[in-house]
Amino acid sequence: MVLKEGEYAQMFISSKQNGKVKEWRSLRRPEEARRSGKVLFEGAHPVLQALDHQGIVETAIVCPEIAKPETALLVSKRVSASGPELIEVSREVFDAITDRDGPSGIAAVARLRVENLHDIIPTHQELYIALWQVESPGNLGTIIRTANAFAAKGVILAGNCVNPYNSKTVKASMGAIFHTSLAHVQDLDALARWSRKSGCHLIGTSANGKQIVPNAWDPGFPLVLLFGSEGSGLPAETSGLLDGLVRIPMYGVNTSLNLSSAVAILAYLVAGCAHGDAHGGTVSD
């Protein structure tokens, strides 16, 4: 046992056959996680971020053989303040429930909700990031992290996007997934209808866009920025659904950007329009 101050852990589990362990392992399958509305993820930073959101984390998991004592104690204090259960596990159990090389020894099970887009009512100055058929869980997590950093109201998953109930998505979001609204819409036609009904400007992004995004950009609010999939971008027929199609000017040999990089650039420009200033942040892994 590692938790000396307060002794917040409710139990210690050493067997992979334990019922809780079997449940946790089932959550490694994204479809099972979606069905249950819960996600299992690993990493000290995202777990601590999730614990800051009252009522999100159901169980915090600490492996004393792996976790840094000071990090384990910090997790236990956050648990004491926010109310979920805290369980210590053996290394054998921790290795069975996570799939990461060099694990931190800190994991959690948390509730995650993806709303129906039609239940969301935008208001003035709001930005939404919409994604069409995004395939990479890491890309999705990074985009959610970026959206949160630049105060986007939510991330809209359109069509057959990667399942957000994926430990890699949660990890890449660095916990921002629990502080950012997620919504799903079946197709781009439905997204366009919702945008018109909600009074949103629907702006697509493409290397073939006619309008070059300037440094000082006033796109109009509420705003939905729509990005296409990593491989093929937006379908050609999408242009008829949009209020505009923009591109980011590039001056090197490459003619396209990584999807998450493009989201970061445009979200930053929009945040400057919406908030009138910039707040400093840090760059970290």
Side-chain angles (χ1 to χ4, degrees), residues 103-180:
S104 67
I106 305 292
V109 174
R111 287 174 284 277
L112 182 63
R113 182 181 178 188
V114 178
E115 300 179 80
N116 186 302
L117 180 60
H118 298 286
D119 294 331
I120 294 177
I121 303 175
T123 59
H124 187 60
Q125 296 296 99
E126 288 185 349
L127 166 66
Y128 293 85
I129 303 296
L131 305 172
W132 169 249
Q133 308 282 46
V134 171
E135 299 174 355
S136 165
N139 254 353
L140 177 57
T142 301
I143 290 167
I144 292 170
R145 180 182 179 186
T146 298
N148 182 267
F150 295 118
K153 182 67 176 179
V155 173
I156 301 168
L157 309 175
N160 189 29
C161 279
V162 62
N163 193 333
Y165 290 88
N166 187 306
S167 61
K168 293 180 180 178
T169 298
V170 178
K171 175 63 178 176
S173 82
M174 296 296 278
I177 195 168
F178 301 111
H179 300 265
T180 307

Coordinates of all heavy atoms in Angstrom, one line a residue, residues 103-180:
P103 N 3.6 2.6 -18.3 CA 2.4 3.2 -17.7 C 2.8 4.0 -16.5 O 3.8 3.8 -15.8 CB 1.6 2.0 -17.3 CG 2.6 0.9 -17.2 CD 3.7 1.2 -18.2
S104 N 1.9 5.0 -16.1 CA 2.1 5.9 -15.0 C 1.6 5.3 -13.7 O 2.0 5.8 -12.6 CB 1.4 7.2 -15.2 OG -0.1 7.0 -15.2
G105 N 0.8 4.2 -13.7 CA 0.3 3.6 -12.5 C -1.0 4.3 -12.0 O -1.5 4.0 -10.9
I106 N -1.5 5.2 -12.8 CA -2.7 6.0 -12.5 C -3.7 5.8 -13.6 O -3.4 6.0 -14.8 CB -2.4 7.5 -12.3 CG1 -1.3 7.7 -11.3 CG2 -3.7 8.2 -11.9 CD1 -1.7 7.4 -9.9
A107 N -4.9 5.4 -13.3 CA -6.0 5.2 -14.3 C -7.3 5.6 -13.6 O -7.4 5.9 -12.4 CB -6.0 3.8 -14.8
A108 N -8.3 5.6 -14.4 CA -9.7 6.0 -13.9 C -10.7 5.5 -14.9 O -10.5 5.2 -16.0 CB -9.8 7.5 -13.8
V109 N -11.9 5.3 -14.3 CA -13.1 5.0 -15.1 C -14.0 6.2 -14.9 O -14.3 6.6 -13.7 CB -13.9 3.7 -14.6 CG1 -15.2 3.6 -15.3 CG2 -13.0 2.5 -14.8
A110 N -14.4 6.8 -16.0 CA -15.2 8.0 -15.9 C -16.4 8.0 -16.9 O -16.4 7.3 -17.9 CB -14.3 9.3 -16.3
R111 N -17.4 8.7 -16.5 CA -18.6 8.8 -17.4 C -18.4 9.8 -18.5 O -17.8 10.9 -18.3 CB -19.8 9.2 -16.6 CG -20.3 8.1 -15.7 CD -21.4 8.5 -14.8 NE -20.9 9.3 -13.7 CZ -20.4 8.8 -12.5 NH1 -20.3 7.5 -12.4 NH2 -20.0 9.6 -11.6
L112 N -18.8 9.5 -19.7 CA -18.6 10.4 -20.9 C -19.9 10.4 -21.6 O -20.5 9.3 -22.0 CB -17.5 9.8 -21.7 CG -17.1 10.7 -23.0 CD1 -16.6 12.1 -22.6 CD2 -16.1 10.0 -23.8
R113 N -20.4 11.6 -22.0 CA -21.6 11.7 -22.7 C -21.4 12.3 -24.1 O -20.8 13.4 -24.2 CB -22.6 12.5 -21.9 CG -24.0 12.7 -22.5 CD -24.9 13.5 -21.7 NE -26.2 13.7 -22.3 CZ -27.2 14.5 -21.9 NH1 -27.0 15.2 -20.8 NH2 -28.3 14.6 -22.5
V114 N -22.0 11.7 -25.1 CA -22.1 12.3 -26.4 C -23.5 12.7 -26.7 O -24.4 11.8 -26.7 CB -21.5 11.4 -27.5 CG1 -21.6 12.1 -28.9 CG2 -20.1 11.0 -27.2
E115 N -23.8 14.0 -26.9 CA -25.2 14.4 -27.0 C -25.7 14.3 -28.5 O -24.8 14.3 -29.4 CB -25.3 15.9 -26.5 CG -25.0 16.1 -25.1 CD -25.1 17.5 -24.7 OE1 -26.2 17.9 -24.4 OE2 -24.1 18.2 -24.6
N116 N -27.0 14.4 -28.7 CA -27.5 14.5 -30.0 C -27.4 16.0 -30.4 O -27.7 16.9 -29.6 CB -29.0 14.1 -30.0 CG -29.6 14.1 -31.4 OD1 -29.6 15.2 -32.1 ND2 -30.1 13.0 -31.9
L117 N -26.9 16.3 -31.5 CA -26.6 17.7 -31.9 C -27.9 18.6 -31.8 O -27.8 19.7 -31.4 CB -26.1 17.7 -33.4 CG -25.8 19.1 -33.9 CD1 -24.7 19.8 -33.0 CD2 -25.3 19.1 -35.3
H118 N -29.0 18.0 -32.1 CA -30.3 18.8 -32.1 C -30.7 19.2 -30.7 O -31.7 20.0 -30.6 CB -31.4 18.0 -32.8 CG -31.0 17.7 -34.3 ND1 -31.0 18.7 -35.2 CD2 -30.6 16.6 -34.9 CE1 -30.7 18.2 -36.4 NE2 -30.4 16.9 -36.2
D119 N -30.1 18.7 -29.7 CA -30.4 19.1 -28.3 C -29.5 20.4 -27.9 O -29.7 20.9 -26.8 CB -30.1 18.0 -27.3 CG -31.1 16.8 -27.5 OD1 -32.2 17.1 -28.0 OD2 -30.7 15.7 -27.3
I120 N -28.6 20.8 -28.8 CA -27.8 21.9 -28.5 C -28.3 23.2 -29.1 O -28.7 23.2 -30.3 CB -26.3 21.6 -29.0 CG1 -25.7 20.5 -28.2 CG2 -25.4 22.9 -28.9 CD1 -24.4 20.1 -28.7
I121 N -28.4 24.3 -28.4 CA -28.8 25.6 -28.8 C -27.7 26.6 -28.7 O -27.4 27.0 -27.6 CB -30.1 26.0 -28.0 CG1 -31.2 25.0 -28.1 CG2 -30.6 27.4 -28.6 CD1 -32.4 25.3 -27.2
P122 N -27.1 27.0 -29.8 CA -26.0 27.9 -29.8 C -26.4 29.3 -29.4 O -27.6 29.7 -29.6 CB -25.4 27.9 -31.2 CG -26.0 26.7 -31.8 CD -27.3 26.4 -31.2
T123 N -25.5 30.1 -28.8 CA -25.7 31.5 -28.5 C -24.6 32.3 -29.1 O -23.7 31.8 -29.7 CB -25.8 31.7 -27.0 OG1 -24.5 31.3 -26.4 CG2 -26.9 30.9 -26.4
H124 N -24.7 33.6 -29.0 CA -23.8 34.5 -29.6 C -22.3 34.3 -29.2 O -22.1 33.9 -28.0 CB -24.2 36.0 -29.2 CG -23.4 37.0 -29.9 ND1 -23.4 37.1 -31.3 CD2 -22.6 38.0 -29.4 CE1 -22.6 38.2 -31.6 NE2 -22.1 38.7 -30.5
Q125 N -21.4 34.5 -30.1 CA -20.0 34.4 -29.9 C -19.5 32.9 -29.6 O -18.3 32.8 -29.2 CB -19.5 35.3 -28.7 CG -19.7 36.8 -28.9 CD -18.8 37.3 -30.1 OE1 -19.3 37.4 -31.2 NE2 -17.6 37.5 -29.8
E126 N -20.3 32.0 -29.9 CA -19.8 30.6 -29.7 C -19.2 30.0 -30.9 O -19.6 30.2 -32.0 CB -21.0 29.7 -29.2 CG -21.5 30.0 -27.8 CD -22.6 29.0 -27.3 OE1 -23.1 28.3 -28.2 OE2 -22.9 29.0 -26.1
L127 N -18.2 29.2 -30.7 CA -17.5 28.4 -31.7 C -17.7 26.9 -31.5 O -17.5 26.4 -30.4 CB -16.0 28.7 -31.7 CG -15.1 27.8 -32.6 CD1 -15.4 27.9 -34.0 CD2 -13.6 28.1 -32.3
Y128 N -18.0 26.2 -32.6 CA -18.1 24.8 -32.5 C -17.1 24.2 -33.6 O -17.0 24.8 -34.7 CB -19.5 24.2 -32.8 CG -20.5 24.6 -31.8 CD1 -21.1 25.8 -31.7 CD2 -20.8 23.7 -30.7 CE1 -22.0 26.1 -30.7 CE2 -21.7 24.0 -29.7 CZ -22.3 25.2 -29.7 OH -23.2 25.5 -28.7
I129 N -16.4 23.2 -33.3 CA -15.5 22.5 -34.2 C -16.2 21.2 -34.7 O -16.6 20.4 -33.9 CB -14.2 22.1 -33.6 CG1 -13.5 23.3 -33.0 CG2 -13.3 21.3 -34.6 CD1 -13.1 24.3 -34.0
A130 N -16.5 21.1 -36.0 CA -17.2 20.0 -36.5 C -16.2 19.1 -37.3 O -15.4 19.7 -38.1 CB -18.4 20.4 -37.4
L131 N -16.3 17.8 -37.2 CA -15.3 16.9 -37.8 C -16.1 15.9 -38.6 O -17.0 15.2 -38.1 CB -14.5 16.2 -36.7 CG -13.7 17.1 -35.8 CD1 -13.1 16.3 -34.6 CD2 -12.7 18.0 -36.5
W132 N -15.7 15.7 -39.9 CA -16.3 14.8 -40.8 C -15.4 13.5 -41.0 O -14.3 13.6 -41.5 CB -16.6 15.4 -42.1 CG -17.0 14.5 -43.2 CD1 -16.3 14.1 -44.3 CD2 -18.2 13.7 -43.3 NE1 -17.0 13.2 -45.1 CE2 -18.2 12.9 -44.5 CE3 -19.4 13.6 -42.5 CZ2 -19.2 12.1 -44.9 CZ3 -20.4 12.8 -42.9 CH2 -20.3 12.0 -44.0
Q133 N -15.9 12.4 -40.5 CA -15.2 11.1 -40.8 C -13.8 11.1 -40.3 O -12.9 10.4 -40.9 CB -15.3 10.8 -42.3 CG -16.6 10.8 -42.9 CD -17.5 9.6 -42.7 OE1 -17.6 9.2 -41.5 NE2 -18.1 9.1 -43.7
V134 N -13.5 11.7 -39.2 CA -12.1 11.6 -38.6 C -11.8 10.2 -38.1 O -12.7 9.6 -37.5 CB -12.0 12.7 -37.5 CG1 -10.6 12.5 -36.7 CG2 -12.0 14.1 -38.0
E135 N -10.7 9.7 -38.5 CA -10.4 8.3 -38.2 C -9.4 8.0 -37.0 O -9.5 6.9 -36.5 CB -9.8 7.7 -39.5 CG -10.7 7.7 -40.7 CD -10.0 7.2 -42.0 OE1 -8.8 7.0 -41.9 OE2 -10.7 7.2 -43.0
S136 N -8.6 8.9 -36.7 CA -7.5 8.7 -35.7 C -8.0 9.1 -34.3 O -8.4 10.2 -34.1 CB -6.3 9.5 -36.1 OG -5.4 9.5 -35.0
P137 N -8.0 8.1 -33.4 CA -8.3 8.5 -32.0 C -7.4 9.6 -31.4 O -7.8 10.4 -30.6 CB -8.3 7.2 -31.2 CG -7.4 6.3 -32.1 CD -7.7 6.7 -33.5
G138 N -6.1 9.5 -31.8 CA -5.2 10.5 -31.3 C -5.4 11.9 -31.8 O -5.4 12.9 -31.1
N139 N -5.8 11.9 -33.1 CA -6.1 13.2 -33.7 C -7.4 13.8 -33.0 O -7.4 15.0 -32.7 CB -6.4 13.0 -35.2 CG -5.3 13.6 -36.1 OD1 -4.4 14.2 -35.6 ND2 -5.5 13.3 -37.4
L140 N -8.4 12.9 -32.8 CA -9.6 13.4 -32.2 C -9.3 14.0 -30.8 O -9.8 15.1 -30.4 CB -10.6 12.3 -32.1 CG -11.9 12.7 -31.4 CD1 -12.6 13.9 -32.0 CD2 -12.9 11.5 -31.3
G141 N -8.5 13.3 -30.0 CA -8.2 13.7 -28.7 C -7.4 15.1 -28.7 O -7.7 16.0 -27.9
T142 N -6.5 15.2 -29.6 CA -5.7 16.4 -29.8 C -6.6 17.6 -30.2 O -6.5 18.7 -29.7 CB -4.6 16.2 -30.8 OG1 -3.7 15.2 -30.4 CG2 -3.7 17.5 -30.9
I143 N -7.5 17.3 -31.1 CA -8.5 18.4 -31.5 C -9.4 18.8 -30.3 O -9.6 20.0 -30.2 CB -9.3 17.9 -32.7 CG1 -8.4 17.8 -33.9 CG2 -10.5 18.8 -33.0 CD1 -9.0 17.0 -35.1
I144 N -9.8 17.9 -29.5 CA -10.6 18.2 -28.4 C -9.8 19.1 -27.4 O -10.3 20.1 -26.8 CB -11.2 17.0 -27.7 CG1 -12.2 16.3 -28.6 CG2 -11.8 17.3 -26.3 CD1 -12.6 14.9 -28.1
R145 N -8.6 18.7 -27.2 CA -7.7 19.5 -26.3 C -7.5 20.9 -26.9 O -7.6 21.9 -26.1 CB -6.3 18.8 -26.2 CG -5.3 19.5 -25.4 CD -4.0 18.8 -25.4 NE -3.0 19.4 -24.6 CZ -1.7 19.0 -24.5 NH1 -1.3 17.9 -25.2 NH2 -0.8 19.7 -23.8
T146 N -7.3 21.0 -28.2 CA -7.2 22.3 -28.8 C -8.5 23.2 -28.8 O -8.4 24.4 -28.5 CB -6.8 22.1 -30.3 OG1 -5.5 21.5 -30.4 CG2 -6.7 23.5 -31.0
A147 N -9.6 22.5 -29.0 CA -10.9 23.2 -29.0 C -11.1 23.8 -27.6 O -11.6 24.9 -27.4 CB -12.0 22.2 -29.3
N148 N -10.8 23.0 -26.6 CA -11.0 23.5 -25.2 C -10.0 24.7 -24.9 O -10.4 25.6 -24.2 CB -10.7 22.4 -24.2 CG -10.9 22.8 -22.8 OD1 -10.0 23.2 -22.1 ND2 -12.2 22.7 -22.3
A149 N -8.8 24.6 -25.4 CA -7.8 25.6 -25.1 C -8.3 27.0 -25.7 O -8.0 28.0 -25.1 CB -6.5 25.3 -25.7
F150 N -9.0 26.9 -26.8 CA -9.4 28.2 -27.5 C -10.9 28.4 -27.3 O -11.5 29.1 -28.1 CB -9.0 28.2 -29.0 CG -7.5 28.2 -29.2 CD1 -6.9 27.1 -29.8 CD2 -6.8 29.2 -28.7 CE1 -5.6 27.1 -30.0 CE2 -5.4 29.2 -28.9 CZ -4.8 28.1 -29.6
A151 N -11.4 27.9 -26.2 CA -12.8 28.2 -25.7 C -13.9 27.8 -26.7 O -14.9 28.5 -26.7 CB -12.9 29.7 -25.3
A152 N -13.7 26.8 -27.5 CA -14.8 26.3 -28.3 C -15.8 25.7 -27.4 O -15.5 25.1 -26.4 CB -14.3 25.3 -29.3
K153 N -17.1 26.0 -27.8 CA -18.2 25.5 -27.0 C -18.3 24.0 -27.0 O -18.7 23.3 -26.0 CB -19.5 26.1 -27.4 CG -20.7 25.7 -26.6 CD -20.7 26.3 -25.2 CE -21.9 25.9 -24.4 NZ -21.9 26.4 -23.0
G154 N -18.0 23.4 -28.2 CA -18.1 21.9 -28.3 C -17.5 21.4 -29.6 O -17.1 22.2 -30.5
V155 N -17.4 20.1 -29.6 CA -16.9 19.4 -30.8 C -18.0 18.5 -31.4 O -18.6 17.7 -30.6 CB -15.6 18.5 -30.5 CG1 -15.2 17.7 -31.7 CG2 -14.5 19.4 -30.0
I156 N -18.3 18.6 -32.6 CA -19.4 17.9 -33.3 C -18.8 16.8 -34.2 O -17.9 17.1 -35.0 CB -20.2 18.9 -34.2 CG1 -20.8 20.0 -33.3 CG2 -21.3 18.1 -34.9 CD1 -21.4 21.1 -34.1
L157 N -19.2 15.6 -33.9 CA -18.7 14.4 -34.7 C -19.8 14.1 -35.7 O -20.9 13.7 -35.4 CB -18.5 13.2 -33.8 CG -17.6 13.5 -32.5 CD1 -17.6 12.3 -31.6 CD2 -16.2 13.9 -32.9
A158 N -19.4 14.3 -37.0 CA -20.3 14.1 -38.1 C -20.0 12.8 -38.9 O -18.9 12.5 -39.2 CB -20.3 15.3 -39.1
G159 N -21.0 12.0 -39.1 CA -20.9 10.8 -39.9 C -20.2 9.7 -39.0 O -20.3 9.7 -37.8
N160 N -19.4 8.9 -39.7 CA -18.8 7.8 -39.1 C -17.4 8.1 -38.5 O -16.4 7.6 -39.0 CB -18.7 6.6 -40.1 CG -18.2 5.3 -39.4 OD1 -18.5 5.1 -38.2 ND2 -17.5 4.5 -40.2
C161 N -17.3 9.0 -37.5 CA -16.1 9.4 -36.9 C -15.6 8.3 -36.0 O -16.4 7.4 -35.6 CB -16.2 10.7 -36.1 SG -16.2 12.2 -37.1
V162 N -14.3 8.3 -35.6 CA -13.8 7.4 -34.7 C -14.5 7.5 -33.4 O -15.0 8.6 -33.0 CB -12.3 7.7 -34.4 CG1 -12.1 9.1 -33.9 CG2 -11.6 6.7 -33.5
N163 N -14.7 6.4 -32.7 CA -15.4 6.3 -31.5 C -14.7 7.1 -30.4 O -13.5 6.9 -30.1 CB -15.5 4.8 -31.0 CG -16.5 4.6 -29.9 OD1 -16.8 5.5 -29.1 ND2 -17.1 3.4 -29.8
P164 N -15.4 8.2 -29.8 CA -14.7 9.0 -28.8 C -14.5 8.2 -27.5 O -13.7 8.6 -26.6 CB -15.7 10.1 -28.6 CG -17.0 9.6 -29.0 CD -16.7 8.6 -30.1
Y165 N -15.2 7.1 -27.3 CA -15.0 6.2 -26.1 C -13.8 5.3 -26.3 O -13.9 4.1 -26.4 CB -16.3 5.4 -25.9 CG -17.5 6.2 -25.4 CD1 -18.3 6.7 -26.4 CD2 -17.7 6.3 -24.1 CE1 -19.4 7.4 -25.9 CE2 -18.8 7.1 -23.6 CZ -19.7 7.6 -24.6 OH -20.8 8.3 -24.2
N166 N -12.6 5.9 -26.4 CA -11.4 5.3 -26.8 C -10.3 5.8 -25.8 O -10.2 7.0 -25.7 CB -11.0 5.5 -28.2 CG -9.9 4.7 -28.7 OD1 -8.8 4.8 -28.1 ND2 -10.0 4.0 -29.8
S167 N -9.6 5.0 -25.2 CA -8.6 5.4 -24.2 C -7.6 6.3 -24.8 O -7.1 7.2 -24.2 CB -7.9 4.2 -23.5 OG -7.3 3.4 -24.5
K168 N -7.2 6.1 -26.1 CA -6.2 6.9 -26.8 C -6.8 8.3 -27.0 O -6.0 9.3 -26.9 CB -5.8 6.3 -28.1 CG -5.1 5.0 -28.0 CD -4.7 4.4 -29.3 CE -4.0 3.0 -29.1 NZ -3.6 2.4 -30.4
T169 N -8.1 8.4 -27.3 CA -8.7 9.7 -27.4 C -8.7 10.5 -26.1 O -8.3 11.7 -26.1 CB -10.1 9.6 -27.9 OG1 -10.1 9.0 -29.2 CG2 -10.8 11.0 -28.0
V170 N -9.0 9.8 -25.1 CA -9.0 10.5 -23.7 C -7.6 10.9 -23.4 O -7.4 12.1 -22.9 CB -9.6 9.6 -22.7 CG1 -9.6 10.2 -21.3 CG2 -11.0 9.2 -23.0
K171 N -6.7 10.1 -23.6 CA -5.3 10.4 -23.2 C -4.8 11.6 -24.0 O -4.2 12.5 -23.5 CB -4.4 9.1 -23.5 CG -2.9 9.4 -23.3 CD -2.6 9.8 -21.9 CE -1.1 10.0 -21.7 NZ -0.7 10.4 -20.4
A172 N -5.0 11.6 -25.3 CA -4.5 12.7 -26.2 C -5.2 14.0 -25.9 O -4.7 15.1 -26.1 CB -4.8 12.3 -27.7
S173 N -6.4 13.9 -25.3 CA -7.1 15.2 -25.0 C -6.6 15.8 -23.7 O -7.0 16.9 -23.3 CB -8.6 14.9 -24.8 OG -9.0 14.3 -23.5
M174 N -5.8 15.0 -22.9 CA -5.2 15.4 -21.7 C -6.3 15.8 -20.7 O -6.2 16.8 -19.9 CB -4.2 16.6 -21.9 CG -3.0 16.2 -22.7 SD -2.0 15.0 -21.9 CE -1.0 16.0 -20.8
G175 N -7.4 15.1 -20.8 CA -8.6 15.4 -19.8 C -9.6 16.4 -20.3 O -10.6 16.5 -19.7
A176 N -9.2 17.1 -21.4 CA -10.1 18.2 -21.9 C -11.5 17.6 -22.4 O -12.5 18.3 -22.4 CB -9.5 18.9 -23.0
I177 N -11.5 16.3 -22.7 CA -12.7 15.7 -23.2 C -13.8 15.7 -22.1 O -15.0 15.7 -22.5 CB -12.4 14.2 -23.6 CG1 -13.6 13.6 -24.5 CG2 -12.2 13.3 -22.4 CD1 -13.2 12.3 -25.2
F178 N -13.4 15.8 -20.9 CA -14.4 15.9 -19.8 C -14.9 17.3 -19.5 O -15.8 17.6 -18.7 CB -13.9 15.3 -18.5 CG -13.5 13.8 -18.7 CD1 -12.2 13.4 -18.7 CD2 -14.5 12.9 -19.0 CE1 -11.8 12.1 -18.8 CE2 -14.1 11.5 -19.1 CZ -12.8 11.1 -19.1
H179 N -14.3 18.3 -20.2 CA -14.6 19.7 -20.0 C -15.1 20.3 -21.3 O -15.3 21.5 -21.4 CB -13.4 20.5 -19.5 CG -12.8 20.0 -18.2 ND1 -13.2 20.6 -17.0 CD2 -12.0 19.0 -17.9 CE1 -12.5 19.9 -16.0 NE2 -11.8 19.0 -16.6
T180 N -15.4 19.5 -22.3 CA -15.8 20.0 -23.6 C -17.0 19.2 -24.1 O -17.0 18.0 -24.0 CB -14.7 19.8 -24.7 OG1 -13.4 20.4 -24.2 CG2 -15.0 20.4 -26.0

